[in-house]
Amino acid sequence: MMSIYHHFKQLTALSCAAAALSFSTFASADTWRYAHEEYEGDVQDVYAHKFKQYIEENSEHTLQVYRFGELGESDDIMEQTQAGILQFVNQSPGFTGALIPEAQIFFIPYLMPTDMETVVEFFRQSKAVNDSFPKLYEAQGLELLKMYPEGEMVMTVDEPITSPEDLKGKKIRVMTNPLLSSTYEAFGATPTPLPWGEVYGALQTNMIQGQENPIFWIESGGLYEVSPNLVFTNHGWFTTASMANKAFFDKLSADEQQMIRDASEYAFNETVKHIRGLAEKSLAKIQNTSDNVTVTRLTDAQIAKFKERAPQVEATFYEMTGDSGKQLLDQFKQDLKVVTK
Ligand code: 6CS
């Protein structure tokens, strides 16, 4: 028979364990903050909410998602993440060029294939994307979770264009990265870097005469209202990246880190489902809404005139990134060969 003393000891041990459990449950149920660059229902928002759903179903944690404008521009949410105010951020390489020059690789024109399934396969398999880039982000205090495509880039201009000569004298808005400026210089235009918040107004007031973005964004941001001539140039894909503050990520348990990686994988797969057919749907919506919109799909011969200017942008990429950029681009091209075979 157990003595009262033993019962007491057992009870004390049990209640200590219960207290420890409830304390640890309480202590680990954190609210994490995740900011992205887009509006409700846009591609980054779909990714963020699938990420949130997975985390909330598989842990005690809650994810608070902030959309464009709630915490500032893309550069602001990156600063807040590096400072540890936010735990997660989605920033597109279009804005990461100053921080990580190699991230500009996505703006070498005509590097990426045009077929969506090939592009998705590239992001899944690429060593450059999945092995090399995480190290570059790590050096900036960031844990890269996923890079993913949003849609093919389409130019919108104040009149239909079919050649680099047609772009002469036109100020075309680019995201704030120097290599994208080089691309538009090579394309014959006058590149004008602007943060997203200024694009619609600048088009409306004719301070700029065009810009580039995936069609879903041209539709959701209403860009076609102020820049109605869509030109399909086939020169690249809008790519984005989701990441965590590295100091925050490193302090998590191995299980939690794995849970976050699984959440990223889940969000990636769900986002891919979302972007299938999205460009076609968005174009149909635009055409149903506006009579002013024109659609120009460049012929192979017209594309060749833009494409022949790509090598000079590649040379600029080498100048900007040195050996590290060269290794990355070599790997990138090898990875592309694997998926385009
Ligand atoms: O052009 C831009 O700046 C914006 N485009 C997209 C597709 N997402 C966010 C980004 O800020």
Side-chain angles (χ1 to χ4, degrees), residues 1 8 33 43 60 62 69 73 96 104 122 133 140 164 178 197 208 219 253 275 282 285 300 305 314 319 323 330:
M1 240 177 96
F8 176 73
R33 291 184 285 271
V43 179
E60 296 293 311
T62 309
E73 282 282 359
T96 318
Q104 302 179 105
F122 169 77
F133 264 122
Q140 299 302 328
I208 52 172
E219 193 272 321
S253 69
I275 63 170
S282 306
K285 264 197 214 165
D300 288 348
K305 294 287 174 203
E314 203 172 294
E319 276 164 30
D323 282 349
D330 287 348

Side-chain angles (χ1 to χ4, degrees), residues 9 40 113 136 145 182 207 236 256 316 326:
K9 255 185 85 171
E40 187 176 355
L136 296 167
L145 296 171
S182 305
M207 280 171 64
E256 283 181 319
T316 308
K326 186 171 177 341

